[in-house]
Amino acid sequence: MPHQVLEPVRPEVSPVAGRIGAVVTRVRLSGDLPERVVAELGRALLRHRVLFFRDQHHLDAAGQARFARRLGEPAACCGHGRADAWHTDGTFAERPPKAMLMRAIEVPRHGGDTVWANTAAAYEDLPAELRELADRLWVLHGHGDARAEHPLVRVHPETGERAILLGGFARSIVGLSSRADSGALIRLFQEHVTRLENTVRWRWAPGDVAVCDNRATQHRVVQDFGGRPRLLWRVAVGGDVPVPVPVDGRSGAARPPAAGG
Ligand SMILES: [Fe+2]
């Protein structure tokens, strides 16, 4: 009689919105997850950009950090500017985080949702003429004393996709002397990122965990709540220096002459 083989429980991944976001069930997040499950979650993250896990009440800050450690090196969590403005975390640093993990501890009775946008889908949607322009531009990002210049379009280090790298820390287009031109271009590309078709909105409950690929998303809080505080614990996973798209057959667009460190 053949052995009865017990199928290991596999996480179930169900998309939420058409272009971004999936709820993952049948997994209890921890630092001890089998490698097979971590790899499966990693693939789902690349595909869906943000994963939502309900009822992870067993996690505390240490447990969340241990799970994050399975996704990569821990990174200093990026000082927040206005969380209610669209942003990619830490773009004012040379190496913005690769992923962010947010765990809801206390949430308002109503409101305080977070919305994520898919910056790779936003790039795909650009008309060819704008993609060509975007591929060549560099952007200065800043927050406090921190400054970094990044390509407006980065090549995703794991999927090879192109994604718009912009958001609320973007200060100016490198090499443009006119603030008005700079601002107009930033607004133009930013509006493509935040089209509702590229977004998913999450209604938090205590115990929820969201993991997002910070290399292919922007996010913001919806500031529509009062009363009960909103307490989310965030952990960052370290990322790479954003790589520009190849231009004119060369690998990587040349940094503009004015670009500093
Ligand atoms: Fe953020």
Side-chain angles (χ1 to χ4, degrees), residues 50-127:
V50 51
L51 302 179
F52 304 107
F53 305 83
R54 292 282 197 196
D55 297 318
Q56 305 293 318
H57 299 281
H58 60 283
L59 280 182
D60 56 9
Q64 183 178 352
R66 277 197 297 273
F67 170 62
R69 188 69 190 75
R70 299 294 302 278
L71 304 179
E73 297 293 325
C77 215
C78 17
H80 242 218
R82 288 188 50 198
D84 60 347
W86 282 103
H87 63 283
T88 292
D89 277 325
T91 59
F92 44 82
E94 194 190 0
R95 297 164 184 267
K98 150 185 167 174
M100 297 297 300
L101 291 84
M102 303 172 211
R103 179 172 55 94
I105 298 167
E106 225 180 311
V107 299
R109 204 181 301 277
H110 322 283
D113 297 358
T114 299
V115 191
W116 284 263
N118 182 340
T119 56
Y123 178 85
E124 277 304 307
D125 270 358
L126 290 176

Side-chain angles (χ1 to χ4, degrees), residues 129-172:
E129 290 77 4
L130 287 183
R131 282 203 298 267
E132 250 172 65
L133 171 62
D135 286 348
R136 292 164 178 275
L137 296 177
W138 283 70
V139 180
L140 172 69
H141 295 250
H143 179 56
D145 294 335
R147 292 275 178 280
E149 283 173 1
H150 297 301
L152 173 58
V153 180
R154 73 177 295 181
V155 178
H156 195 291
E158 292 186 73
T159 66
E161 295 165 295
R162 298 176 182 193
I164 295 175
L165 174 50
L166 213 47
F169 300 114
R171 295 287 172 261
S172 59

